[in-house]
C-alpha cells in the first residue's frame, strides 16, 4: 500500500462521510488538525493519539451541557426530574416540557444532538482502529466505542455503522438492537488483556480500564432482556445465565479494590476515589451540579425533583442530604435557604428564598420546586459516569432475577450493607423495591430512564405532570435528519 505523508486532515474530514448524501448527518467540532497517511483506497489514517483524545472528549456529551446529552434524555423524561418553565425562563420552545410529558417527536433538537454526538464518538473510534494503533490504544478505542454504542442501543434501538473504507455514495449499515448488542459485547470481551487494570488507588478514573469494561459488560447483561426483547416495551424475560454474567462481572470489578464510600457526597468531590470507576474531567454549571440560590450564587435555576420521588427517602439518611442550619447543604434542598452568616437568601422578589414542593410544567415562580445539589462546586473531580455502588446494586438485582449468589452474599445482605453505610434503616429486599433503592442511591446520575424501562414503569406509570402511557416511548425516534439521509433506517414504532 503506497502512503503519502503530505496530507493534513481537519476534524471535519474525519467524519465527512457522515455528511454526504446517504449518510447519517452528524455535527463535528472544527477545532483540531491531525497529520495523516493516505492510502490508495482513499482512507486517510488519523493521528491515533489525537483522535483518541477527541473520543474521550465525547464522554462529555454523555454528561451533557445545559440539560442536553444522554443524561439530558435519561433524567428529565423520568420520575426523578422536571425542568419547568418559570415565567419566561426555561421555555426554550417547549423542548423540556416535551421530554417530561413524553410527547417528543423526531424533530426534537436535543434528541438529534445526542444522536449526532454518540455516532461521532463511534466513528472516531472506528478511524483509530483503522490507523495502526498500539494494542492498548486499540483496546481503549474498542471500549469507548462499545460505551457509545451502549447508549445508542439503549436510547434509539438501532445503530448505524460505517466502515472507514466505505465511499461517500454508500449508505451506512444499520444494525438491529440485538445485532449491535452482540457486536459491542464481543468487542468488550476481546480487549481485557490490553487495558490497564483500573482501581481506586492507582488508576486514572478518566481512562477506561479493565474495571470499567467489566462494569459496562455487567450493564449490558443486566439489560440484555430489554435489548433482545421481541417488543421494546416488553415483557422482558431475564435469563439466569445472563444474570450470572452480571454477577461475574460485578465480582471482577470488586477485585480491583473498590469499596463503598462512607460519606455519600464525597463521591462527588475531590475527597475520595473509592467508588469512581470512570469519570469525565469536566463538570457542568447546570442541572447535574447545583441549583441557583438567587442570581449572584451561580448555577442554573432550572431542574427540580418531584415530590413523589423525594418521598422515597428517609429524613435521617445520608442520601437525602446534609442538613445545615446555615449555609448551602448537599442533596435535596427544600424550605428556607440561608447564607453562612444566618441571613436568608432572597428570591427575585427580594423575599426570603423558600424552595417549595409544588411544581408545574409552566407558570412557576423562581423558587418553586425541590432543588438538588449533588456535586460540590468548590471541589471538582469530574462527573461520575460509573461508580461502585451501582455495581453492588446490579449484583443484588441480578441475584433477585435468578442469578446464583457468590461470595456468601445475598441480595438482602448487599442492600443491607449499602443502606447501613448510607445511614438508612434495613428494609425487606425484593425485585419490586430495587428500582426505588437504585433511585435513592443513583439519583441524577444520568441513568433513571434506563432503570425504569427495565423495571417496566417508564411507560406504564404516571407521575407529576406526566400522564402519557405510550409503550412506543421506551425508545426515542431516529432523528428525522438521519431518516432522510439513509433509507436503511426504519423509524421506531409510534413516530411519524
Amino acid at each position: 500500500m503506497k502512503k503519502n505523508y503530505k496530507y493534513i486532515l481537519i476534524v471535519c474530514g474525519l467524519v465527512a462521510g457522515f455528511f454526504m448524501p446517504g449518510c447519517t448527518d452528524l455535527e463535528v467540532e472544527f477545532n483540531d488538525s491531525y497529520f495523516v497517511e493516505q492510502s490508495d483506497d482513499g482512507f486517510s489514517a488519523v493521528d491515533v493519539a489525537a483522535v483518541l483524545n477527541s473520543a474521550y472528549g465525547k464522554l462529555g456529551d454523555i454528561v451533557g451541557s445545559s440539560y442536553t446529552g444522554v443524561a439530558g434524555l435519561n433524567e428529565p423524561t423520568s420520575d426523578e426530574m422536571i425542568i419547568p418553565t418559570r415565567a419566561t425562563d426555561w421555555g426554550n420552545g417547549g423542548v423540556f416540557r416535551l421530554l417530561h410529558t413524553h410527547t417528543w417527536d423526531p424533530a426534537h433538537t436535543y434528541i438529534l444532538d445526542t444522536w449526532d454526538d454518540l455516532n461521532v464518538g463511534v466513528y472516531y473510534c472506528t478511524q483509530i482502529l483503522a490507523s495502526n494503533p498500539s494494542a492498548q490504544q486499540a483496546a481503549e478505542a474498542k471500549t469507548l466505542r462499545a460505551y457509545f454504542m451502549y447508549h445508542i442501543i439503549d436510547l434509539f434501538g438501532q445503530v448505524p455503522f460505517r466502515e472507514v473504507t466505505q465511499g461517500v455514495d454508500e449508505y451506512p449499515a444499520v444494525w438491529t438492537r440485538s445485532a449491535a448488542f452482540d457486536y459491542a459485547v464481543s468487542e468488550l470481551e476481546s480487549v481485557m488483556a490490553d487495558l490497564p487494570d483500573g482501581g481506586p488507588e492507582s488508576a486514572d478514573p478518566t481512562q477506561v480500564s479493565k474495571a470499567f469494561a467489566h462494569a459496562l459488560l455487567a450493564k449490558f447483561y443486566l439489560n440484555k432482556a430489554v435489548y433482545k426483547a421481541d417488543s421494546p416495551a416488553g415483557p422482558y424475560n431475564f435469563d439466569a445465565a445472563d444474570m450470572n454474567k452480571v454477577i461475574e462481572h460485578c465480582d471482577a470489578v470488586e477485585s480491583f479494590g473498590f469499596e463503598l464510600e462512607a460519606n455519600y457526597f464525597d463521591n462527588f468531590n475531590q475527597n475520595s476515589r473509592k467508588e469512581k470507576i470512570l469519570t469525565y474531567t469536566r463538570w457542568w454549571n447546570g442541572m447535574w451540579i447545583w441549583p441557583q440560590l438567587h442570581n449572584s450564587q451561580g448555577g442554573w435555576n432550572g431542574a427540580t425533583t418531584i415530590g413523589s420521588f423525594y418521598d422515597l427517602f428517609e429524613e435521617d439518611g445520608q442520601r437525602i442530604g446534609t442538613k445545615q442550619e446555615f449555609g448551602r447543604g448537599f442533596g435535596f434542598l427544600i424550605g428556607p435557604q440561608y447564607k453562612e452568616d444566618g441571613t436568608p437568601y432572597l428570591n427575585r422578589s427580594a423575599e426570603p428564598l423558600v424552595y417549595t414542593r409544588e411544581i408545574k410544567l409552566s407558570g412557576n415562580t423562581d423558587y418553586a420546586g425541590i432543588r438538588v445539589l449533588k456535586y460540590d462546586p468548590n471541589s471538582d473531580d469530574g462527573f461520575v459516569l460509573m461508580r461502585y455502588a451501582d455495581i453492588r446494586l446490579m449484583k443484588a438485582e441480578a441475584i433477585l432475577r435468578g442469578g446464583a449468589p457468590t461470595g456468601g452474599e445475598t441480595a438482602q445482605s448487599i442492600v443491607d450493607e449499602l443502606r447501613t453505610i448510607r445511614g438508612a434503616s434495613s428494609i425487606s429486599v425484593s425485585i419490586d423495591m430495587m428500582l426505588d433503592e437504585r433511585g435513592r442511591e443513583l439519583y441524577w446520575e444520568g441513568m433513571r430512564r434506563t432503570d425504569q424501562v427495565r423495571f417496566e414503569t417508564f411507560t406504564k406509570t404516571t407521575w407529576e405532570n406526566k400522564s402519557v402511557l405510550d409503550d412506543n416511548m421506551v425508545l426515542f425516534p431516529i432523528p428525522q435528519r438521519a431518516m432522510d439521509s439513509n433509507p436503511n433506517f426504519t423509524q421506531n414504532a409510534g413516530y411519524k
Side-chain angles (χ1 to χ4, degrees), residues 216-233:
L216 183 53
L217 281 165
K219 286 270 187 189
F220 268 113
Y221 279 108
L222 186 62
N223 290 285
K224 182 178 177 180
V226 177
Y227 303 152
K228 294 280 188 174
D230 292 334
S231 168

Side-chain angles (χ1 to χ4, degrees), residues 2 4 12 21 102 151 168-169 184 226 232 283 287 302 307 326 334 338 345 347 416 433-434 439 457 459:
K2 183 176 70 177
N4 188 325
C12 59
H102 288 207
H151 288 296
V168 296
D169 58 341
V226 177
W283 54 266
M287 68 177 169
F326 301 123
I334 186 172
Y338 296 98
Y345 283 108
N347 61 31
D416 280 347
M433 61 74 63
M434 282 302 300
T457 68
T459 61

Side-chain angles (χ1 to χ4, degrees), residues 106 115 156 158 476-480 482-483 489-492 495:
W115 168 269
F156 299 101
Q158 300 176 56
F476 289 100
I478 305 302
Q480 191 59 49
M483 289 292 301
F489 285 116
T490 300
Q491 185 56 274
N492 290 327
Y495 297 105

Side-chain angles (χ1 to χ4, degrees), residues 84-162:
T85 303
R86 305 174 185 281
T88 59
D89 291 343
W90 297 97
N92 291 53
V95 291
F96 300 121
R97 296 193 296 273
L98 292 172
L99 290 176
H100 191 77
T101 57
H102 288 207
T103 54
W104 57 77
D105 62 30
H108 197 289
T109 183
Y110 291 169
I111 295 173
L112 172 63
D113 290 346
T114 304
W115 168 269
D116 284 355
D117 288 328
L118 290 169
N119 280 289
V120 168
V122 168
Y123 195 63
Y124 278 155
C125 296
T126 301
Q127 289 192 307
I128 291 166
L129 293 166
S131 300
N132 195 30
S134 69
Q136 180 171 326
Q137 287 172 327
E140 289 181 64
K142 286 184 177 183
T143 303
L144 287 169
R145 186 168 65 177
Y147 190 37
F148 295 131
M149 292 180 82
Y150 164 80
H151 288 296
I152 301 171
I153 292 165
D154 185 68
L155 295 167
F156 299 101
Q158 300 176 56
V159 179
F161 194 84
R162 173 177 287 281

Side-chain angles (χ1 to χ4, degrees), residues 426-441:
S426 178
I427 56 176
S428 178
V429 173
S430 67
I431 196 64
D432 291 335
M433 61 74 63
M434 282 302 300
L435 179 63
D436 289 347
E437 189 61 23
R438 286 186 62 81
R440 285 185 283 261
E441 177 65 27

Side-chain angles (χ1 to χ4, degrees), residues 18 29 43 50 87 134 164 190 210 212 249-250 256 280 287 311 322 329 346 367 380 385 388 398 452 464 479:
F18 285 93
E29 298 84 357
F43 169 64
S134 69
V164 295
S190 73
K210 288 185 178 72
F212 173 72
H249 289 295
C250 288
F256 291 102
Y280 180 65
M287 68 177 169
D311 290 341
T322 57
L346 303 179
Y367 48 83
D380 170 46
L385 294 166
Y388 183 58
Q452 285 195 281
E464 286 93 321

Side-chain angles (χ1 to χ4, degrees), residues 340-354:
E340 292 184 5
D341 64 5
T343 59
Y345 283 108
L346 303 179
N347 61 31
R348 290 176 179 174
S349 300
E351 299 171 335
L353 176 61
V354 180

